[in-house]
Amino acid sequence: MTKSFKHIFLLLVACCLAQLTLAQEPARNDWDGPKIKGARIIPFPSYNGSPYLTENWLPGKIELTTGEIIDSLHIRYSSYKDELFYYNSEAACQINIDKATLNGFEFTDIDGRDRIFRKLFFESYTKTYRFFEILSSGSISIVAHRKTGLNTTTAYHDKSGILKNMEYVPEHQLYFYSKEQGYSNVKPNTASFLSKFEKSSQKPIKRLLRKNRIKIKTENELIQAWEMISKEGYKPLF
């Protein structure tokens, strides 16, 4: 065997060993792109309903805690886990963006509406940060926590014929929000809306609503009512 042949043979053996070693290494579960930090997502359990706010990946942008804006992304928000995902086309995978690196995000839904979410501190049973959709912005805003719960339901068979008794259910919560005063829960109906104001203010507010033909039954009507009476100087109780 000539020396040159030995060298070629040893080189081939070394290449094979290197490929074998790489093949045996598990794929990394974390994703550290140049700017977006996160991890590859783990699929949610399959039940009736959806763990996502939207059915599709939608065009949007994110704001990092550094203040930097990254746009031209396809993102999807899990209202079940309060997590934001984006599709990384270069790696051909879905990334769960590290919430600690985000100030918020925006996307355009299938109806062409711009949806704006901000990460806000929320203190309930635990102190944590949540994503809230900004429905009306100002010194006092109306924000929505787009929560989805996983609840027990009547037993059913899924598309594969498997018997299940859980389903994803939207449980959206609306609040008046002030950075200084915190949150005050409000529901999209006239009685709940009026109860958020001093008793002495409730009758004149009711007259204003009637005068402007506003009956609060939906989120949009709630926003319309608030933006109208806030111009008159009324403020909700916290």
Side-chain angles (χ1 to χ4, degrees):
M1 187 179 291
T2 65
K3 288 185 178 181
S4 59
F5 182 79
K6 285 182 179 179
H7 289 159
I8 294 171
F9 177 77
L10 291 172
L11 182 60
L12 288 172
V13 171
C15 289
C16 290
L17 289 173
Q19 291 295 325
L20 181 61
T21 302
L22 288 172
Q24 291 175 339
E25 288 182 357
R28 290 181 59 192
N29 191 47
D30 61 320
W31 173 261
D32 290 325
K35 296 175 182 177
I36 303 176
K37 306 298 181 182
R40 289 176 173 84
I41 71 169
I42 299 173
F44 294 114
S46 177
Y47 298 111
N48 280 353
S50 175
Y52 297 99
L53 180 62
T54 62
E55 290 300 318
N56 304 311
W57 295 91
L58 295 170
K61 59 185 176 181
I62 62 175
E63 180 183 334
L64 303 179
T65 51
T66 60
E68 183 176 2
I69 305 293
I70 302 177
D71 57 13
S72 301
L73 299 175
H74 279 81
I75 59 179
R76 198 177 186 193
Y77 172 61
S78 168
S79 47
Y80 172 54
K81 284 293 187 180
D82 194 34
E83 295 173 340
L84 182 67
F85 305 140
Y86 92 101
Y87 182 75
N88 184 291
S89 56
E90 292 182 2
C93 63
Q94 302 171 24
I95 305 299
N96 179 355
I97 304 175
D98 184 359
K99 186 188 287 188
T101 67
L102 292 172
N103 277 340
F105 60 92
E106 302 177 26
F107 64 83
T108 303
D109 67 18
I110 58 173
D111 297 319
R113 296 181 302 162
D114 292 328
R115 311 280 294 270
I116 301 172
F117 288 74
R118 304 298 294 176
K119 185 178 70 177
L120 303 173
F121 181 74
F122 188 86
E123 184 173 354
S124 182
Y125 298 108
T126 59
K127 298 179 180 180
T128 185
Y129 283 92
R130 294 179 179 178
F131 289 121
F132 289 87
E133 184 174 8
I134 309 301
L135 302 180
S136 176
S137 182
S139 58
I140 298 176
S141 303
I142 295 181
V143 300
H145 183 221
R146 300 300 188 189
K147 179 183 177 183
T148 292
L150 182 58
N151 300 340
T152 303
T153 187
T154 305
Y156 64 92
H157 290 89
D158 67 10
K159 295 178 181 179
S160 301
I162 300 173
L163 186 65
K164 296 182 177 180
N165 68 338
M166 303 290 286
E167 65 177 352
Y168 295 106
V169 180
E171 299 172 353
H172 301 173
Q173 297 171 330
L174 305 179
Y175 300 90
F176 284 112
Y177 169 73
S178 163
K179 187 176 181 180
E180 294 76 21
Q181 299 178 81
Y183 301 83
S184 180
N185 183 268
V186 62
K187 297 178 181 178
N189 64 66
T190 302
S192 175
F193 182 76
L194 290 173
S195 71
K196 297 302 170 182
F197 299 88
E198 293 181 351
K199 284 195 174 182
S200 59
S201 299
Q202 291 180 13
K203 282 189 177 180
I205 290 174
K206 196 171 184 179
R207 283 196 295 269
L208 279 171
L209 295 177
R210 191 162 50 244
K211 179 181 178 181
N212 289 274
R213 299 180 179 179
I214 299 174
K215 294 182 179 180
I216 304 173
K217 295 181 180 180
T218 66
E219 285 186 12
N220 287 337
E221 290 164 344
L222 176 68
I223 296 164
Q224 184 184 4
W226 166 241
E227 291 181 346
M228 185 265 296
I229 69 159
S230 64
K231 293 176 183 177
E232 302 295 326
Y234 292 104
K235 294 184 179 180
L237 300 171
F238 284 87

